[in-house]
Amino acid sequence: MKGIPELRLKSLLPNQLRYAFMVQMDTKCVDRMQIISWVGVVLYACLFILDYMRMQAGEFDRRLFYFHLCGGLYIIPALLTTFATKQVQATRISRGVVIWFTFLLTTVALFGQAFVTFEEYDSLTMYMTYVIVANWTFTMNHNQRILFNLACIILMLTGIFVSHADDNVQFLIKIYEVVFFTSIAFIFGLFDYNLRAAKFLEERELVREKARIEELEMLKSRMYTNLTHEFRTPLTVIAGMASQIQVNPTKWGEKGSEMIRRNSTRILNLVHQILDLSKLESGSMSLKLVNGDVITNLKYIIDSFQSYAESKTIRLHFLTDLNELCLDYDPEKSLTVISNLLSNALRYTPDGGNIYIRANKIESSEGPRFELRIRDTGIGIPEEKLGLIFERFYQIEEHRGKSSTGTGIGLAIVKELVKLMEGNIRVTSKVGVGTEFILDLPVKNDVEVAPAQFVPASIRSAVSSWLEPPVSDVQKPITTTNGLRETTRVLVIEDNADVVAYIASILKGEYVLTIEHDGDKGIQTAINEVPDLIITDLMIPGKDGYEVCRILKQDDLTSHVPIIMLTAKADRESKILGLQSGADIYLAKPFDQEELLVQIKQLIDLRKKLQARYHSSADTNGEEHPVNKKEDQFITKVREAIHARLDDSSFGILQLCRVVGMSRTQLHNKLKAVTGKSASHFIRSVRLEVAQKLLREDDLTIAEIAYSTGFTDPGYFSRVYREEFGEAPSEYRV
């Protein structure tokens, strides 16, 4: 607290805070009443003793006794505020009941006794006690406090008028005393009120400051997390492809070198952004103005984004009535601003969307200005978040998982650069419709510098650092198996083409790879094809890696499929959340190639153990394995369906598909993964298991057993029985 607040009738609190303050005052009033109530209990116990002594001396005053008897009721609020404090403070009604009861009790007990003692003993001690206690204890704003003290003066003056009407001197003295004591109590209460109001404001300020510091720390933590994420992904490609080039320079030399160059440029671009933001904050960045045609330069920039936009089937529309517009501008900083806005539009616009770039010359009170509008048909920004998107390190929660996380500094740099160029930028958006950034710059021609030599090739090279390589080339399945007969199918869900290419360089030839670049398509492909293993990134468009794991682990079709999460988020919380979501392995980028291969091999070996558990198709003794609970339930469901139609020779794969609600391919893939057997083989194995049991326990003939288990030909039954168990039915029965 900076000091004792000045004593004034005007409230220290703004109107919007008064209610919150009164609620706090009510809560603290309960604490004060606890003290007053216990003091009242002790005080009136002493007064009862005094009444007894007066009665012994023949000076018993019945009226005082009644007020002392009333004061004994202080035991009620004393007990309530001591042993049920939380319940009393919990609601406004409970606080009000206790406060008003205590107020009325105090008024009757103390103020009534004040009247009697003044009439009998000409003493204002009890009155002074009452007004001080009431002003200190009970919740009153300034107006209520004034009315309360005026009422006390009027009521007490009534008694004074009755007692001293015939003595003008005493009458005036008592009036002076009452007014003086009441004023003292009023000033005391007012001082206490202002003191508590100042403390209330200070506490709120401390809470706000604490929240601001916590938010700042959270932003810093998020910034560091995002920065490491942005660094880890290109470093994964750089380190990985460097290893591939070292092992096989002929095969990977050219392509690997290009990937290393591209990703090192991304890292360098990120470093430049951080340095630029630092320069902008310190005011040490300056413009390098040239005079040139901004429309032609803008066309070059947009053309550089065309190939990437086409890879996402997004159309860029450049609309302008201007053939040219010469003005003073900084080509490099203009490229940074426009590239940042266009890359954001491309990032958050779904496939098949549109981006409109409109350039105009407008007139304003400040003179002619160049206006650029960039509107997309993307996911949009919530209205309440529009004022925050230009804040440093701020990222919209709804946008996480839609694409790469970014660092949260791009739009902050855009705003500062536009400000440096004496321009303005604003944004409008509607969720689900799209976002529009509106930029305007002054049209000046004061610079006597030759036009900038900013050729299309240099623009394309600069733009490439803002974009990841197109993903269209890696969306198709990689089906090369190098003649392998038994293949393991791996689904890779990753939106970074270079990372996909690196993973493919590791696994291609040993595994059949299917590539998807967003979570929604990845989930659909996993359900349709039921792969043997899934490798997913965490930050991907659509549903993120956490959701992918949760959905696939809860689905009967894919619950058995092991999932490896490869991600640049290496913090402990993200790893725990990933494992809780269902990921079997959590590897942070950059990952070790050998570690990935070992983890894949171990997961495949674990799957083989799962197959061994169900290979015999026998019952699992009715007990569900805690790890393989869903697989136990699935196998039990399939076995029960086969048992229900055991003697029906027409019951086959199609009928079983209808019962379990899967397609033929899905059922085949699921059973093959869980049991190592095809659907038809598993049905036959269940029938043979029952036949073996009947051979051991019943007196039926082999032909009768064959017919009762769905075989129409006893000879065929004997052949497949020998294939399954290594001996003929007749040999087993012997």
Side-chain angles (χ1 to χ4, degrees), residues 463-535:
V463 165
S464 66
S465 66
W466 289 91
L467 301 172
E468 296 175 359
V471 297
S472 57
D473 296 336
V474 296
Q475 290 181 7
K476 297 179 181 179
I478 302 172
T479 56
T480 303
T481 61
N482 289 352
L484 294 176
R485 220 171 147 184
E486 291 294 329
T487 59
T488 300
R489 292 164 294 114
V490 177
L491 169 63
V492 179
I493 309 174
E494 169 65 65
D495 64 326
N496 186 291
D498 284 341
V499 175
V500 169
Y502 173 47
I503 293 174
S505 73
I506 299 172
L507 304 182
K508 189 175 178 181
E510 294 187 40
Y511 305 97
V512 177
L513 302 183
T514 302
I515 310 298
E516 293 294 353
H517 74 281
D518 70 66
D520 295 308
K521 291 180 180 178
I523 291 170
Q524 194 59 47
T525 299
I527 291 173
N528 291 338
E529 299 183 7
V530 192
D532 298 301
L533 184 128
I534 296 172
I535 298 174

Side-chain angles (χ1 to χ4, degrees), residues 24-33 99 137-139:
Q24 187 190 83
M25 288 278 283
D26 280 349
T27 303
K28 293 185 176 180
C29 178
V30 173
D31 295 330
R32 293 190 176 193
M33 284 192 304
I99 290 172
T137 305
F138 300 106
T139 304

Side-chain angles (χ1 to χ4, degrees), residues 63 77 152 446 453 475 563 570:
R63 292 179 301 172
C152 290
D446 302 329
Q453 298 300 314
Q475 290 181 7
I563 300 177

Side-chain angles (χ1 to χ4, degrees), residues 29-50:
C29 178
V30 173
D31 295 330
R32 293 190 176 193
M33 284 192 304
Q34 181 181 354
I35 300 171
I36 294 300
S37 298
W38 283 113
V39 171
V41 170
V42 174
L43 173 64
Y44 282 102
C46 294
L47 291 175
F48 271 119
I49 295 173
L50 183 60

Side-chain angles (χ1 to χ4, degrees), residues 109-120:
L110 280 180
F111 198 83
Q113 179 159 323
F115 258 94
V116 173
T117 53
F118 177 76
E119 288 182 349
E120 295 295 328

Side-chain angles (χ1 to χ4, degrees), residues 371-559:
E371 182 185 73
L372 180 67
R373 293 172 175 260
I374 299 177
R375 179 170 66 87
D376 63 56
T377 56
I379 58 180
I381 303 169
E383 185 177 353
E384 65 274 11
K385 305 291 179 65
L386 288 176
L388 301 171
I389 62 171
F390 293 108
E391 295 292 329
R392 292 165 178 81
F393 315 121
Y394 179 79
Q395 287 185 292
I396 300 172
E397 291 289 339
E398 291 84 349
H399 287 184
R400 291 184 192 175
K402 303 297 181 185
S403 182
S404 301
T405 57
T407 58
I409 62 177
L411 289 178
I413 291 176
V414 167
K415 182 180 179 182
E416 294 297 333
L417 286 176
V418 170
K419 183 178 178 182
L420 183 66
M421 293 186 286
E422 300 180 18
N424 303 299
I425 187 168
R426 60 189 188 277
V427 59
T428 61
S429 185
K430 187 174 181 181
V431 174
V433 176
T435 302
E436 182 176 32
F437 285 89
I438 305 163
L439 164 70
D440 67 85
L441 299 171
V443 177
K444 296 180 180 180
N445 292 280
D446 302 329
V447 179
E448 296 180 2
V449 177
Q453 298 300 314
F454 217 51
V455 295
S458 62
I459 292 177
R460 283 194 294 271
S461 176
V463 165
S464 66
S465 66
W466 289 91
L467 301 172
E468 296 175 359
V471 297
S472 57
D473 296 336
V474 296
Q475 290 181 7
K476 297 179 181 179
I478 302 172
T479 56
T480 303
T481 61
N482 289 352
L484 294 176
R485 220 171 147 184
E486 291 294 329
T487 59
T488 300
R489 292 164 294 114
V490 177
L491 169 63
V492 179
I493 309 174
E494 169 65 65
D495 64 326
N496 186 291
D498 284 341
V499 175
V500 169
Y502 173 47
I503 293 174
S505 73
I506 299 172
L507 304 182
K508 189 175 178 181
E510 294 187 40
Y511 305 97
V512 177
L513 302 183
T514 302
I515 310 298
E516 293 294 353
H517 74 281
D518 70 66
D520 295 308
K521 291 180 180 178
I523 291 170
Q524 194 59 47
T525 299
I527 291 173
N528 291 338
E529 299 183 7
V530 192
D532 298 301
L533 184 128
I534 296 172
I535 298 174
T536 180
D537 191 9
L538 174 55
M539 305 306 294
I540 47 179
K543 292 182 172 60
D544 63 18
Y546 296 139
E547 293 176 284
V548 169
C549 289
R550 278 193 291 266
I551 291 172
L552 295 182
K553 287 297 184 179
Q554 291 171 5
D555 194 291
D556 288 339
L557 282 168
T558 54
S559 59

